Amino acid sequence: MNVFIVSTMSDSGKTVIVSALLRILSTRGFHVSPFKAQNMSLNSYPSIEGGEIALAQAMQAYVAGVKPSIYHNPVLIKPMSSTKAEYIILGKSRAQLLFNEYLNNGAIRRLAINAVKASIRKLTEDFDLVIGEGAGSAYEPNLVSRDIANFRPAEWLRANVFVVLDIDRGGSFIQGLGLMSSLPPRWRKLVKGFIINKFRGDEKLLGTAIKWLEKKTGKPVLGVLPYVDDLWLWPEDSMDLRPIGNGPLDIALIAYPYVSNFNDIYSLILEDDVTVRIVRSPRELGEPHLIILPGSKNVVASLEWMRRVGLDKALMKFKGSAVILGICGGFQAMGKVLSDPYGLEAGTPGNYDGLGLINVNTIYGADKIVSLSRAVGLRGEIEGVEISGYEIHRGVPQYVGDDPLIVIRERNGRDVEQKDGVFREEDLMIGITLHDSLGDPIFRNFVLNMAREVAGLPRRNSLELSSIELLLRQIDKFSSIIKNTLDIDSMINDG
C-alpha cells in the first residue's frame, strides 16, 4: 500500500521520516520511490532526465537506491522575491509569476495538475511502493480549494495517510485533533494514524495525551520518535542552515537572502578541524580564514542586501588575507558585471555591478543549464584532476582579465568544452560554478589547505567519502531509530 506523510506545519520532520522509510523499505527488498507533488524550495538538483527537482526529493531518491527523476517532484516553486517565483513543472522552467497569478493562471495550473497525475501513474507502474510527502500544513482554508500538494495527490495515489505531529514546538495533540475536525469526510478516511516526532524525555509521560488523541479521532498513534539534532541531510529550505564543528579553522558562510544549495558545505562535517559560522552582518564576520559565498537564486538581490548591511566593504578587507570561495551564484557575485538581458534572474533586465573581487563578468542566458557535470582542473593543485558536481544556472562566465580554474568536459553524459571558475592565488580568490565540488575530496583539500596555510595550521587530506556516501551514513543513523520505534508494517498493509 502506498504511503503519504503530511503534517500540520512546515519543518515537522516529514522529509526525514520519508527518507528513513525509503531507506528501511529498500533494504527490505521493496522497489520504492519518493514523491512530492509540489515543493517550494530554493535548493534543487538535476534529475536523470536533465530536468530540475527539489534537492530533498533527489536525496530521497538516492536513499531509496534510485536515480533522481522529474516524476519524484513534478512541481517545484523557487521564490525569486517576496511575491514572485519561478515555476518548474516536470523539470522545466515554465513561468515566472506572482503567487496569485499562479493560482489564477488556468493554463499553468492545468499543466501542474496533469504533471502530478502523470507522475503518479508513472511511479505506481514502475515501483512496488510510493512514499509520498505533503508540503507545509496539510489543510489551510485559504488554499485547500486549489492545493495540489497534500490530500489531493494522496487521494490520487490511493495512499494511506499519516500525520506527523511536531511535539517539540508544542500544541501537537490539539493540532492533530484540529486537522481531523477540519477535513472533509472523504479525506478523513484516508488518515490511518499519527506519528509523534521530535520528543525529548520519557515516552510514558505522553500516555494520557496519546489515549486522548486516539479516542477523539479514532486514529492510532503509530510511534513516538525522539528528537535527533545531529543529522546532516540535504536541506529543503533555509531553516536547515546551521553552524558546523568547533575546530580552529574558522570559516564564515555568508547567509544572504535567496541562499540556495548550501548543502555544498555539508561535506565539511568530515573535517574535525573546522568551524563554520553563519554570518549575516559585518560584525559577525570576525577574522575568518575562509569566507564562502554560497549559491543564490537571485544574485542581484543578494548583492543589494550585502551592500545594504555593509558586507561588500567588509569582504574587500579580506582580499589576500583570507581565502574567499564563491560557488555558483557566489562566484557570479564576486565578479565585475552581471548582465541579465531577459530579466530572468534579477526580475528586471539590466546590467548590475558585482563585488569586483575578480575580473569575470556573468551573462545570463534564456536557457537554464541543469546537469550532472564533470570537469578537469586547469590551475593550482587540481591541475589535470577530474572534479565532479552539478550545475543549475543561467549565468555563463566571461573572462575579462582572469583565467579559468576548470574546464567542464561533460554535462549529463554529453561532451562539452566550457571554461569555468577562477583562481587568483595571490589574492586567495577561488570561484567555481559546480555545486557539490566541496563534496569532492580533492577539491575540498585544495580549498581547505589554502585556508589552513592562512591559519598557520598543518595541511591534511580529507576522508575519501562522496557526498552521497555521507548522506547514506546520516540517514542510516535515523533509520536505526525509526525502525525500532515506528510500526512500519501497519503503515504499508492494506488494512
Side-chain angles (χ1 to χ4, degrees):
M1 185 69 183
N2 297 318
V3 171
F4 205 94
I5 304 295
V6 302
S7 183
T8 57
M9 64 177 72
S10 296
D11 198 38
S12 62
K14 297 188 300 291
T15 300
V16 181
I17 291 171
V18 168
S19 300
L21 288 172
L22 288 163
R23 181 66 168 163
I24 292 166
L25 292 169
S26 66
T27 59
R28 289 187 184 179
F30 288 93
H31 188 39
V32 289
S33 171
F35 173 67
K36 187 161 186 172
Q38 178 178 286
N39 200 342
M40 180 179 286
S41 177
L42 292 178
N43 301 315
S44 59
Y45 194 88
S47 71
I48 191 172
E49 301 91 353
E52 187 176 2
I53 65 171
L55 185 70
Q57 276 61 69
M59 170 189 72
Q60 291 170 342
Y62 281 127
V63 302
V66 299
K67 299 291 186 182
S69 169
I70 54 175
Y71 302 109
H72 295 145
N73 173 218
V75 181
L76 173 61
I77 303 173
K78 301 183 78 172
M80 300 175 62
S81 67
S82 60
T83 57
K84 192 175 185 179
E86 179 182 23
Y87 292 85
I88 296 165
I89 300 176
L90 285 179
K92 295 187 180 298
S93 180
R94 303 291 183 174
Q96 294 183 359
L97 301 169
L98 299 174
F99 184 61
N100 283 337
E101 290 176 335
Y102 170 64
L103 291 178
N104 296 309
N105 188 310
I108 291 293
R109 290 283 297 165
R110 284 191 297 274
L111 191 64
I113 291 169
N114 290 338
V116 171
K117 290 183 175 180
S119 297
I120 289 172
R121 287 194 298 271
K122 173 70 172 172
L123 296 178
T124 52
E125 288 172 0
D126 292 350
F127 291 89
D128 302 332
L129 188 64
V130 177
I131 310 292
E133 178 185 343
S137 171
Y139 192 90
E140 293 294 336
N142 59 316
L143 298 174
V144 67
S145 65
R146 289 171 284 190
D147 181 24
I148 59 168
N150 291 287
F151 277 94
R152 280 191 180 83
E155 190 173 40
W156 298 335
L157 191 58
R158 298 179 182 177
N160 289 336
V161 175
F162 300 90
V163 181
V164 174
L165 301 175
D166 181 354
I167 199 168
D168 187 56
R169 288 188 280 184
S172 56
F173 292 100
I174 200 69
Q175 288 171 20
L177 176 60
L179 174 63
M180 293 302 295
S181 300
S182 302
L183 291 174
R186 80 175 197 274
W187 287 352
R188 198 178 305 139
K189 290 178 182 178
L190 297 179
V191 177
K192 304 303 180 183
F194 297 97
I195 300 168
I196 308 295
N197 195 29
K198 302 184 185 178
F199 180 64
R200 311 175 196 238
D202 186 351
E203 186 180 331
K204 294 177 183 176
L205 297 172
L206 300 180
T208 303
I210 288 174
K211 290 179 181 177
W212 176 88
L213 181 63
E214 291 180 332
K215 182 178 179 180
K216 290 284 187 181
T217 64
K219 309 292 181 179
V221 172
L222 277 76
V224 177
L225 310 183
Y227 188 96
V228 180
D229 61 358
D230 61 344
L231 285 178
W232 290 92
L233 304 183
W234 292 359
E236 192 153 35
D237 54 42
S238 59
M239 295 178 74
D240 296 309
L241 190 57
R242 52 191 167 132
I244 295 174
N246 191 31
L249 186 64
D250 188 13
I251 302 174
L253 179 84
I254 307 301
Y256 30 63
Y258 308 107
V259 59
S260 66
N261 292 77
F262 51 83
N263 61 298
D264 283 334
I265 68 167
Y266 280 17
S267 61
L268 298 179
I269 69 171
L270 296 169
E271 312 292 336
D272 59 14
D273 66 339
V274 310
T275 294
V276 180
R277 297 180 292 108
I278 309 304
V279 171
R280 294 185 174 90
S281 72
R283 179 180 56 81
E284 296 172 334
L285 193 54
E287 297 292 331
H289 308 119
L290 169 62
I291 300 169
I292 298 178
L293 299 172
S296 171
K297 171 57 181 165
N298 190 329
V299 180
V300 171
S302 296
L303 281 165
E304 290 173 349
W305 174 85
M306 282 194 282
R307 292 189 174 100
R308 189 164 60 250
V309 302
L311 272 169
D312 59 329
K313 294 178 181 178
L315 289 177
M316 293 297 292
K317 296 177 183 179
F318 289 94
K319 189 174 182 179
S321 63
V323 178
I324 299 179
L325 168 67
I327 303 173
C328 197
F331 167 41
Q332 297 168 9
M334 291 171 69
K336 297 172 73 68
V337 177
L338 291 78
S339 179
D340 188 5
Y342 305 100
L344 293 174
E345 292 292 312
T348 304
N351 294 321
Y352 301 90
D353 290 333
L355 295 172
L357 294 168
I358 55 176
N359 296 312
V360 179
N361 296 334
T362 296
I363 298 179
Y364 294 108
D367 297 326
K368 183 183 287 191
I369 297 167
V370 180
S371 77
L372 297 168
S373 304
R374 296 183 184 275
V376 174
L378 298 176
R379 306 187 63 211
E381 294 181 6
I382 63 169
E383 183 176 354
V385 176
E386 184 177 281
I387 304 294
S388 62
Y390 64 94
E391 298 177 77
I392 299 179
H393 61 97
R394 285 190 173 90
V396 177
Q398 302 290 317
Y399 293 89
V400 290
D402 284 334
D403 295 319
L405 172 64
I406 62 172
V407 57
I408 298 171
R409 291 276 170 80
E410 182 183 298
R411 285 177 174 153
N412 293 329
R414 297 179 180 178
D415 293 340
V416 296
E417 191 79 9
Q418 174 65 58
K419 294 177 181 178
D420 187 77
V422 73
F423 178 47
R424 290 178 58 176
E425 188 171 10
E426 66 280 8
D427 292 327
L428 303 178
M429 300 286 173
I430 305 173
I432 192 167
T433 295
L434 292 185
H435 286 295
D436 200 29
S437 48
L438 284 175
D440 188 305
I442 295 175
F443 187 78
R444 188 163 70 250
N445 285 337
F446 168 59
V447 173
L448 293 185
N449 282 332
M450 281 185 64
R452 289 178 181 122
E453 289 180 5
V454 169
L457 297 171
R459 295 171 61 89
R460 55 196 295 182
N461 290 324
S462 300
L463 182 67
E464 293 285 339
L465 198 68
S466 73
S467 57
I468 294 173
E469 290 170 333
L470 174 60
L471 168 66
L472 294 179
R473 284 190 179 187
Q474 293 292 307
I475 195 60
D476 282 343
K477 286 164 53 176
F478 191 68
S479 298
S480 65
I481 296 170
I482 199 173
K483 68 182 179 182
N484 295 320
T485 54
L486 187 61
D487 188 355
I488 298 173
D489 291 334
S490 293
M491 295 178 69
I492 62 174
N493 71 33
D494 291 328

